């Protein structure tokens, strides 16, 4: 009886652990409206308001970002300029410039100065999922952090963004961001 209970406990523990590793597929949002056209949404000037929370949920930092976005053919540029609540960003850059490339079929590749390698993005329905490694400055040291970045189009002017940060599979915190397109 004790062996059976021990085995059952191990199976349940494994199921909980592996279930936490399961990933949501962007395809499940394929039928959601409004349909996200990344090139259309990220065109012109956008404002964003966000916060970083540590893994306990405590808000560590807030920020405002202004994004100047433009496309030439299949290549887009997102020039992001940050203003941090603490005035400095804790060593994080006041500016990040993304270069995006539309590779077709709702897939995008992105690069930026503090992105290690390439960011891989995929859209379906109203959703965009970005996965990338970001080199963050933490207490004067650079650490590479995995980002699982989800964006959801609310309407043609507003997008919500939730980024989960991890290292070696362990949660470090999350970034929540609201983006709004400026009307011309």
């Amino acid at each position: 009886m004790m062996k059976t209970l021990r085995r059952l406990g191990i199976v349940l523990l494994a199921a909980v652990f592996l279930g936490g590793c399961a990933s949501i597929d962007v395809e499940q949002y394929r039928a959601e409206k409004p349909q996200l056209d990344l090139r259309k949404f990220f065109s012109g000037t956008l404002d964003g308001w966000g916060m970083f929370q540590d893994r306990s949920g405590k808000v560590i930092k807030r920020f405002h970002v202004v994004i100047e976005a433009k496309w030439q053919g299949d290549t887009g540029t997102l020039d992001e300029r940050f203003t941090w609540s603490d005035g400095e960003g804790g060593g994080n850059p006041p500016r990040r410039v993304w270069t995006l490339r539309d590779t077709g079929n709702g897939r995008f590749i992105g690069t930026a100065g503090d992105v290690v390698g390439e960011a891989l993005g995929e859209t379906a329905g109203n959703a965009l999922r970005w996965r990338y490694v970001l080199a963050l400055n933490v207490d004067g040291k650079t650490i590479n952090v995995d980002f699982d970045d989800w964006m959801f189009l609310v309407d043609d002017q507003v997008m919500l963004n939730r980024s989960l940060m991890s290292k070696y599979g362990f949660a470090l915190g999350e970034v929540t961001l609201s983006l709004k397109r400026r009307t011309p």
Side-chain angles (χ1 to χ4, degrees):
M1 177 71 162
M2 207 52 168
K3 278 186 174 181
T4 303
L5 286 175
R6 193 173 316 138
R7 284 184 190 149
L8 179 60
I10 291 170
V11 168
L12 288 174
L13 183 61
V16 167
F17 177 74
L18 293 174
C21 295
S23 181
I24 299 169
D25 187 351
V26 72
E27 282 300 317
Q28 79 178 31
Y29 300 105
R30 173 95 26 222
E32 294 295 322
K33 303 285 187 227
Q35 187 79 24
L36 173 59
D37 179 341
L38 198 65
R39 295 166 66 152
K40 181 179 175 185
F41 186 81
F42 284 106
S43 182
T45 304
L46 298 94
D47 285 287
W49 299 268
M51 64 183 174
F52 167 70
Q53 294 171 272
D54 67 14
R55 65 177 160 216
S56 75
K58 180 181 176 186
V59 175
I60 302 299
K61 193 174 303 284
R62 293 169 289 108
F63 62 91
H64 175 251
V65 61
V66 175
I67 303 171
E68 296 295 334
K70 62 184 177 186
W71 290 84
Q72 288 187 338
D74 289 336
T75 302
T77 303
L78 296 139
D79 188 346
E80 303 175 332
R81 295 180 187 263
F82 295 88
T83 304
W84 300 94
S85 58
D86 63 0
E88 62 184 51
N92 294 305
R95 183 177 185 203
R96 177 179 296 121
V97 179
W98 283 94
T99 300
L100 307 181
R101 194 167 34 114
D102 185 343
T103 61
N105 296 321
R107 296 182 188 275
F108 293 83
I109 293 174
T111 57
D114 54 353
V115 171
V116 178
E118 295 179 328
L120 302 178
E122 183 177 5
T123 61
N126 71 334
L128 165 66
R129 183 181 192 188
W130 275 114
R131 286 182 274 189
Y132 54 95
V133 176
L134 192 65
L136 289 178
N137 183 331
V138 179
D139 298 327
K141 291 174 60 178
T142 300
I143 62 168
N144 293 339
V145 177
D146 296 314
F147 268 74
D148 190 4
D149 202 349
W150 285 88
M151 299 182 185
F152 295 92
L153 188 62
V154 175
D155 59 34
D156 58 338
Q157 298 299 311
V158 176
M159 180 180 284
L160 299 178
N161 179 201
R162 181 176 181 227
S163 301
L164 302 176
M165 299 170 42
S166 64
K167 178 85 176 166
Y168 304 121
F170 294 100
L172 299 177
E174 67 182 74
V175 176
T176 305
L177 174 65
S178 173
L179 291 168
K180 185 173 189 322
R181 296 182 71 223
R182 289 186 187 172
T183 50

